[in-house]
Amino acid sequence: MSTILVVAEQLGGELKSATLPTIGFAKQAAAATGGEVVVLVLGSGASGAAEAASRFGASRVLYVDGAQYADYLAENYAPAVVEVAKSVGATVVCAPSTTTGKDFLPRVAALLDAGFVSDAIDVAEVDGDVVYKRPIWSGNLIARVTSHTDITAVTVRTTAFEAPAEGAAVSVETISVSSGAATNAAFVSFDQVKTDRPPLTDADVVIAGGRGLKSGEAFGMLEELADKLGAAVGASRAAVDSGYAPNDWQIGQTGKIIAPNLYIGVAISGAIQHLAGMKASKVIVAINKDPEAPIFQVSDFGLVEDAFKAVPELTSKL
Amino acid sequence: MKILAMVKRVVDPEVKVKLTGDAQLDPSILDYKLNYFDEYSVEEAVRLKESGAASEIVVVCIGSGDAQKEIRTALAMGADRGILVETDEADRLDSLTKAKLLAKVVEREEPGMVLMGKLAVDSESNAVGQMLAALTGFAQGTFAFKCEVDGDTVTVGREVDGGTSDVKLTLPAVVTADLRLNEPRYASLPGIMKAKKKPLEVIDPDDLDADIDLDEPAIEILGYELPPQREAGEIVDSVDALIDRLKNKAKVL
Ligand SMILES: Cc1cc2nc3c(=O)[nH]c(=O)nc-3n(C[C@H](O)[C@H](O)[C@H](O)COP(=O)(O)OP(=O)(O)OC[C@H]3O[C@@H](n4cnc5c(N)ncnc54)[C@H](O)[C@@H]3O)c2cc1C
């Protein structure tokens, strides 16, 4: 019997949507190994997030309240997760592959002496082994791996799993842990990029801009189009490095991994590190003035045109 | 303060992937280089030394004998000496196994800070730094775009979902570099000449006495497969045609 522990992600008491496909992964892992799913929420006055996580098919939802979880810090999260993983007898501990999950879960893995699988896109039982698939080499290759440790820690690529259907809620159990706050690390600040748009990783439509836009002002043109489509706005690394867009907008190997219904790349050449972040989009559109731009090789529809002409025209005609 | 800069010899991700009949990598295609992210961590270490915050930079690599080349590259950028934990199995070792080996090197060298890239562009686990921090009891500052040392603390600015976050760590700490941390320098010709004479110690992993089994790492790679390929679609000749396709063919508008 296996126990799959999902460490939920919350911000200010609100459950982050990345948690739901992670529960989807956990259910698939539980089905493959004949086990159950337990969800853990850490927070300070964040029981609402635990309530929100309780309707997606987990057999138990655990909530730990502590002032040291008010702001996220790996050194505070990791010992608490380790304690809970041991007490519930977890065989798999997983978290979404967000910057938070990627930060604390390897730390948890080392403390549990657990093998670590990064960015899982599949899990199945094959000939008695639990086999995970994970993309490597900027998405150009997929590795099939299995773990030889008693516990395995897994970060989950959220675009590869569905959120489970909402059902009846289980009651949230408030538990306590003995670990306190770290003495060698402190949270200082979180500068949040304010936006009224949907988060990049949740949006149905994403408009992304590249270095070819040549200024931050030119991104305003993309925002007008995004407003029309209810879309999120993203960027290539070159555009972020040039200061045209905030780092939170970066799509790719070192940015966000997205899989919207529609991705429109404007003045983006299509480097492999960028493709690694958006290749799973359902429909890819590229607008680029260079007919040889590599992004056209992966696009369903391409328009060879100057962005400063095509984008305003598209916005006005929609 | 002594800084350990961990570097990895990685497969160049631009190579064209080829698999053998039994789902293993065709070795003839492999081309190696210094992990891109480690250029940023080595650069940061060199800058900390130039500013007086660090006194010595030791480059550490787990790799085959050929990885001396990547260590020399880091030495040419300004690091002082190198340590190669030599094994031909490096490409098969998982993050936990590597972190345990590196923790032993940390125990021996007692650095004030460990700097490393946040991820290796080939295996892409983004984990060894965090694991090393856990095993040594060091604080961690991951995905750093800022690394400011002040006495016995370091303030690390981190690139995170939703924006940026600062953490203040008491040294010793592990800091993992993101790509906006600095602008790595090219090694100068005198730098390359000097690097050839800098000390490079080769260690047998067995001598580190780590709790690992090189023949059975925690995570075993069973095989590889190619991701689904996307085909080039249609080039449309106008915005009107694009809107038509999105509405009527793809049905996404
Ligand atoms: C380790 C590593 C990690 C990386 N991670 C990422 C990542 O996560 N995400 C990412 O995006 N990149 C990443 N990169 C960078 C990547 O390699 C490319 O450099 C980057 O994606 C290029 O951005 P771009 O397409 O905006 O710029 P460019 O490659 O400069 O392309 C600009 C494009 O704009 C077009 N253009 C110019 N003017 C116009 C116009 N007026 N109208 C229409 N088109 C125009 C040009 O034809 C060109 O195709 C990474 C690189 C490395 C080495």
Side-chain angles (χ1 to χ4, degrees):
Chain A
M1 181 78 177
S2 61
T3 299
I4 320 292
L5 180 67
V6 178
V7 186
E9 192 164 327
Q10 58 89 12
L11 184 65
E14 222 170 284
L15 188 71
K16 289 272 210 139
S17 59
T19 304
L20 301 184
T22 309
I23 299 176
F25 159 87
K27 292 179 89 168
Q28 188 170 325
T33 54
E36 60 165 6
V37 176
V38 178
V39 174
L40 168 65
V41 179
L42 301 175
S44 177
S47 59
E51 297 293 343
S54 69
R55 298 189 302 270
F56 295 93
S59 8
R60 297 174 70 191
V61 174
L62 312 177
Y63 174 62
V64 179
D65 194 273
Q68 69 269 38
Y69 312 121
D71 295 299
Y72 165 75
L73 192 69
E75 288 81 353
N76 291 346
Y77 261 53
V81 173
V82 166
E83 246 186 274
V84 175
K86 285 183 178 160
S87 73
V88 302
T91 43
V92 173
V93 184
C94 61
S97 217
T98 54
T99 51
T100 299
K102 289 182 203 167
D103 187 44
F104 79 82
L105 201 65
R107 198 172 170 100
V108 167
L111 295 172
L112 288 170
D113 203 25
F116 177 68
V117 178
S118 177
D119 242 352
I121 57 169
D122 192 23
V123 56
E125 208 245 44
V126 184
D127 303 332
D129 283 333
V130 180
V131 178
Y132 302 89
K133 288 188 188 178
R134 52 178 305 260
I136 59 172
W137 290 18
S138 314
N140 285 337
L141 192 62
I142 291 172
R144 284 185 291 112
V145 303
T146 192
S147 172
H148 292 302
T149 48
D150 297 339
I151 309 180
T152 305
V154 183
T155 54
V156 176
R157 181 168 289 201
T158 52
T159 52
F161 296 89
E162 299 283 337
E166 235 180 289
V170 291
S171 58
V172 173
E173 303 165 49
T174 300
I175 59 167
S176 56
V177 293
S178 62
S179 45
T183 52
N184 62 346
F187 169 88
V188 177
S189 60
F190 175 42
D191 277 327
Q192 196 171 3
V193 181
K194 292 269 177 269
T195 172
D196 298 329
R197 293 208 176 73
L200 260 181
T201 42
D202 292 351
D204 274 336
V205 181
V206 171
I207 320 285
R211 172 153 52 196
L213 290 177
K214 293 181 192 71
S215 74
E217 290 73 61
F219 267 79
M221 181 170 86
L222 300 193
E223 296 195 49
E224 282 169 29
L225 175 57
D227 287 341
K228 271 246 162 115
L229 293 170
V233 180
S236 71
R237 173 178 168 217
V240 176
D241 284 356
S242 309
Y244 308 162
N247 70 288
D248 185 48
W249 290 13
Q250 184 170 314
I251 296 165
Q253 182 185 34
T254 44
K256 302 256 171 4
I257 307 289
I258 61 168
N261 276 328
L262 174 60
Y263 162 97
I264 304 179
V266 181
I268 288 180
S269 62
I272 55 165
Q273 296 91 353
H274 186 77
L275 301 184
M278 44 57 83
K279 242 186 342 193
S281 304
K282 206 164 137 234
V283 175
I284 296 178
V285 171
I287 300 175
N288 195 305
K289 67 178 183 188
D290 173 11
E292 303 298 324
I295 193 161
F296 288 124
Q297 296 305 314
V298 299
S299 301
D300 299 285
F301 304 105
L303 178 62
V304 182
E305 180 65 272
D306 190 316
F308 295 92
K309 182 169 169 292
V311 175
E313 188 183 338
L314 186 56
T315 308
S316 73
K317 285 181 171 169
L318 282 172
Chain B
M1 172 172 76
K2 186 198 282 186
I3 295 180
L4 290 197
M6 309 301 192
V7 302
K8 185 180 176 194
R9 172 179 160 88
V10 297
V11 177
D12 185 342
E14 306 275 347
V15 299
K16 193 108 196 86
V17 181
K18 220 168 109 192
L19 297 182
T20 59
D22 57 349
Q24 298 302 317
L25 290 170
D26 182 338
S28 70
I29 57 151
L30 300 183
D31 192 14
Y32 291 87
K33 59 183 208 177
L34 174 60
N35 179 35
Y36 203 79
F37 287 88
D38 299 339
E39 291 177 22
Y40 291 77
S41 46
V42 171
E43 174 66 32
E44 197 64 17
V46 174
R47 288 186 190 196
L48 285 170
K49 191 176 168 192
E50 286 168 348
S51 75
S55 50
E56 188 190 16
I57 304 166
V58 185
V59 180
V60 183
C61 177
I62 301 171
S64 65
D66 292 336
Q68 295 205 8
K69 177 170 153 277
E70 280 68 34
I71 295 179
R72 297 277 176 211
T73 304
L75 294 176
M77 288 173 72
D80 299 297
R81 61 184 169 92
I83 296 176
L84 172 64
V85 180
E86 189 176 343
T87 164
D88 288 335
E89 302 300 330
D91 283 352
R92 278 184 46 246
L93 301 184
D94 66 295
S95 312
L96 183 64
T97 306
K98 286 182 181 157
K100 285 182 176 179
L101 283 170
L102 294 177
K104 287 291 179 181
V105 179
V106 167
E107 204 175 280
R108 234 183 56 160
E109 294 286 336
E110 299 185 331
M113 191 188 290
V114 176
L115 271 162
M116 54 208 291
K118 76 165 183 181
L119 102 134
V121 295
D122 54 356
S123 51
E124 288 196 73
S125 278
N126 194 333
V128 177
Q130 296 86 313
M131 289 181 153
L132 180 61
L135 296 173
T136 52
F138 287 14
Q140 72 186 47
T142 54
F143 327 145
F145 69 89
K146 177 176 87 181
C147 175
E148 290 168 356
V149 176
D150 181 11
D152 66 350
T153 65
V154 57
T155 299
V156 177
R158 308 179 52 234
E159 293 205 1
V160 297
D161 293 341
T164 58
S165 171
D166 279 10
V167 289
K168 191 172 180 185
L169 313 174
T170 304
L171 298 171
V174 176
V175 177
T176 76
D178 215 320
L179 299 178
R180 277 176 281 270
L181 182 57
N182 53 47
E183 193 66 61
R185 71 194 65 194
Y186 288 104
S188 64
L189 196 56
I192 294 170
M193 297 313 287
K194 264 203 246 162
K196 290 185 176 158
K197 296 198 196 73
K198 289 180 180 172
L200 198 169
E201 180 190 2
V202 178
I203 303 183
D204 184 334
D206 291 339
D207 293 342
L208 287 172
D209 206 20
D211 170 30
I212 55 164
D213 180 353
L214 288 181
D215 296 323
E216 188 171 300
I219 299 291
E220 180 188 351
I221 301 169
L222 300 171
Y224 300 91
E225 55 192 61
L226 296 176
Q229 302 295 311
R230 282 191 92 104
E231 306 274 311
E234 181 192 0
I235 297 292
V236 296
D237 60 7
S238 66
V239 167
D240 290 319
L242 178 61
I243 295 173
D244 169 69
R245 300 302 185 277
L246 293 178
K247 281 196 168 137
N248 302 315
K249 203 168 163 204
K251 300 194 178 0
V252 284
L253 286 187

